[in-house]
Amino acid sequence: MDAGISTPSQIPSVDEILKTPQAQQAAARFGRTRTVDAIRHATAAVRREVGTGAALVPGAEAIAADALLWLETDARPNARAVFNLTGTVLHTNLGRAILAEAAVDAATVAMRQALALEFDLAQGKRGERDSLVRGLLCELTGAEDATTVNNNAAAVLLVLNTLAKGKEAIVSRGELIEIGGAFRMPEIMARAGARLVEVGTTNRTHEKDYAAAINPKTGLILKVHTSNYRIEGFTKSVSGKTISTLARASHVPLLNDLGSGTLVDLARYGLTHEQTVAEAVAEGADLVTFSGDKLLGGPQAGFIVGRRELIARLNRNPMKRALRIDKIRLAAIEATLRLYRDPDRLAERLPTLRMMVRPRADIEAVAQRLLSPVAAAAGPHFTAEVIACASQIGSGSLPAETVPSAGIALRVAGTSGKGRRLAALAAALRALDQPVIGRIENDAFILDLRCLEDEAAFVRNLSTLRVEERR
Ligand SMILES: *Cc1c(COP(=O)(O)O)cnc(C)c1O
């Protein structure tokens, strides 16, 4: 091409570009309509650049190659798998629990084939969707009955709306929590049609505070697990056992919103004991609500277990139909719950627990193996070293606890433009085919390797890392 006479009139026509091998390949993969669109965009961009005199006119093949690259980039799914190296096992923004293989298989069957979802195979007539997991939930929690909804927020909403609509719901001021994502207890109450009655103070609530608040308009007493924070110092809260005795004597139902809701004693795996759902049921709560995708390690879901006549009332509320769970997750929940029947092998089979209990020495060995590939991929502007760090469970589970972990810290070599260079590194890692999500802490980019299981895939993925500094 002659550099002296670059004008927009020299830009190849769409038809001409379509004949190139790159455009043929694009059409075969993405269809002719999308390819023509992409070529039009590419030629428009060329026209703008040539018009300003800033560039020479590229050939038809180069324009087609641009169009193909754009189509390929655009075809990457929005719901992309990422490497969660944040050090938070249950990261709400990264989808919380990773499902067990058994749950994945069950969900796949439910997607591919017709399912006995609301069909009683023994009787050959209509059945109930809840009965797929009711028996397992009762077995694992000791409750009389159970029902399942879309998530725990929905579970709390359904209970409040069923038992306290137009009535009062009593909560300790120390438990009026915001979980994040606009789930605030007072607002949920208002939407459920319940009138909030706050008792006690932020740091101290006594049994007599609850007792004084109970009156004929009381619909419910609510106890909420303060999942994501802890009040320390001069504090007093009333035990679930004491509240349940009071609730029973006053003929008022007690809901214990556990949030995370674990089905096993975490102490047997070396973690801090967290009240189990069975313990909350045994201490006398009439209903207990908990999430499917937090400590339980299953798909997003909300469970309500407890007294049979109360569960029956929940199921009669028309809102239940709007909050119900789909067959794919229900199948995955059943498979997940079945794993709990063998606690000895649970830490092997349930990814959430497996990652939570992974010993630091194992993780450090991963860090040692990955140090040189990571250093090489990051390039000469960064130094890399293996570090000790602390992971957290996340999603409001065991909020005050961290578990010892290990990782790789990348720091900017030299002193200039540290912040900019770290940001560029983080952006480049996020731009990989499988984005790598870490965290920036004290002038370092930290990759906590607790949740990395496929090292080979991680290294392959790093090969395309390009750290570019933007201004
Ligand atoms: C997480 C949590 C919720 C909300 O549960 P989702 O399953 O995220 O809807 C409600 N209450 C408590 C105490 C929680 O920890």
Side-chain angles (χ1 to χ4, degrees):
M1 191 166 312
D2 189 326
I5 50 162
S6 250
T7 67
S9 66
Q10 293 172 317
I11 297 173
S13 71
V14 170
D15 279 343
E16 205 178 315
I17 298 169
L18 267 174
K19 290 191 192 107
T20 63
Q22 291 83 351
Q24 294 296 308
Q25 194 199 334
R29 286 171 59 193
F30 302 103
R32 202 186 133 83
T33 312
R34 293 270 295 149
T35 302
V36 169
D37 274 354
I39 290 172
R40 289 221 168 93
H41 277 105
T43 46
V46 168
R47 192 166 298 118
R48 278 194 301 275
E49 286 185 15
V50 172
T52 64
L56 302 180
V57 175
E61 295 202 357
I63 297 177
D66 271 357
L68 178 57
L69 185 65
W70 184 84
L71 286 167
E72 279 171 343
T73 307
D74 183 61
R76 298 203 295 192
N78 294 330
R80 299 249 288 289
V82 302
F83 286 104
N84 172 13
L85 306 189
T86 59
T88 300
V89 178
L90 293 168
H91 199 300
T92 296
N93 306 134
L94 301 179
R96 291 191 186 164
I98 290 171
L99 269 58
E101 281 308 313
V104 173
D105 291 345
T108 306
V109 168
M111 284 190 276
R112 286 227 168 95
Q113 297 176 54
L115 202 72
L117 179 65
E118 295 178 354
F119 189 80
D120 183 334
L121 288 169
Q123 307 293 322
K125 51 180 203 202
R126 194 181 188 289
E128 266 183 75
R129 124 181 357 225
D130 271 340
S131 57
L132 263 58
V133 294
R134 176 185 282 127
L136 278 161
L137 284 168
C138 292
E139 174 190 318
L140 295 166
T141 64
E144 285 175 10
D145 203 353
T147 190
T148 308
V149 288
N150 180 57
N151 58 12
N152 190 37
V156 173
L157 180 67
L158 181 63
V159 174
L160 287 169
N161 180 263
T162 308
L163 303 182
K165 182 165 179 274
K167 293 188 176 172
E168 296 178 354
I170 299 173
V171 193
S172 158
R173 287 198 172 87
E175 297 174 357
L176 283 173
I177 55 168
E178 171 180 317
I179 310 286
F183 185 85
R184 288 181 159 183
M185 242 345 141
E187 282 159 30
I188 294 283
M189 290 235 179
R191 294 286 164 156
R195 208 163 69 69
L196 169 65
V197 176
E198 304 173 24
V199 299
T201 60
T202 304
N203 58 333
R204 290 175 73 87
T205 302
H206 304 266
E207 184 182 357
K208 64 178 191 298
D209 297 327
Y210 284 100
I214 295 174
N215 70 68
K217 284 175 288 172
T218 305
L220 178 84
I221 300 176
L222 172 59
K223 182 168 173 56
V224 189
H225 191 290
T226 51
S227 303
N228 46 8
Y229 78 108
R230 199 154 80 167
I231 297 175
E232 286 179 36
F234 184 57
T235 66
K236 165 111 180 64
S237 65
V238 187
S239 74
K241 181 123 195 70
T242 304
I243 305 179
S244 75
T245 306
L246 179 67
R248 198 134 302 181
S250 320
H251 304 286
V252 172
L254 168 66
L255 164 64
N256 188 346
D257 176 24
L258 276 186
S260 278
T262 173
L263 298 174
V264 281
D265 179 2
L266 292 175
R268 77 179 280 162
Y269 307 100
L271 296 160
T272 302
H273 175 78
E274 171 82 3
Q275 185 180 47
T276 64
V277 180
E279 285 164 357
V281 169
E283 87 183 358
D286 298 288
L287 293 173
V288 179
T289 51
F290 54 104
S291 286
D293 55 355
K294 293 185 180 172
L295 287 178
L296 198 147
Q300 180 188 302
F303 302 108
I304 311 165
V305 303
R307 273 175 40 214
R308 189 170 294 117
E309 76 271 19
L310 295 179
I311 298 286
R313 280 175 65 190
L314 299 178
N315 285 330
R316 284 197 301 270
N317 185 337
M319 211 182 240
K320 167 77 197 298
R321 173 63 177 77
L323 302 175
R324 82 176 180 191
I325 190 161
D326 65 273
K327 62 177 179 179
I328 304 164
R329 285 186 288 152
L330 210 44
I333 290 164
E334 182 189 352
T336 306
L337 293 176
R338 283 183 188 278
L339 299 179
Y340 278 88
R341 285 177 156 174
D342 184 0
D344 293 337
R345 277 185 286 180
L346 193 63
E348 226 171 279
R349 294 168 162 175
L350 197 70
T352 299
L353 189 59
R354 185 167 71 226
M355 288 171 182
M356 273 165 36
V357 304
R358 197 173 183 191
R360 169 184 263 171
D362 275 18
I363 306 168
E364 196 181 315
V366 176
Q368 293 293 357
R369 286 194 291 275
L370 295 180
L371 183 62
S372 73
V374 167
H381 293 309
F382 297 92
T383 63
E385 72 171 318
V386 172
I387 53 153
C389 57
S391 314
Q392 51 189 29
I393 306 305
S395 292
S397 311
L398 310 183
E401 191 178 2
T402 58
V403 272
S405 187
I408 294 174
L410 290 161
R411 290 193 180 81
V412 175
T415 49
S416 69
K418 274 190 180 172
R420 185 164 37 92
R421 291 212 154 123
L422 274 186
L425 175 67
L429 287 162
R430 288 196 309 273
L432 289 170
D433 272 341
Q434 182 161 347
V436 173
I437 317 293
R439 63 175 199 268
I440 292 179
E441 207 176 86
N442 302 330
D443 275 349
F445 191 82
I446 314 275
L447 303 170
D448 182 323
L449 297 167
R450 171 170 299 280
C451 298
L452 180 66
E453 295 194 323
D454 191 345
E455 292 171 41
F458 179 77
V459 171
R460 272 197 308 280
N461 183 57
L462 272 186
S463 67
T464 53
L465 187 72
R466 298 282 172 271
V467 186
E468 280 172 39
E469 271 186 51
R470 281 179 222 120
R471 276 149 209 290

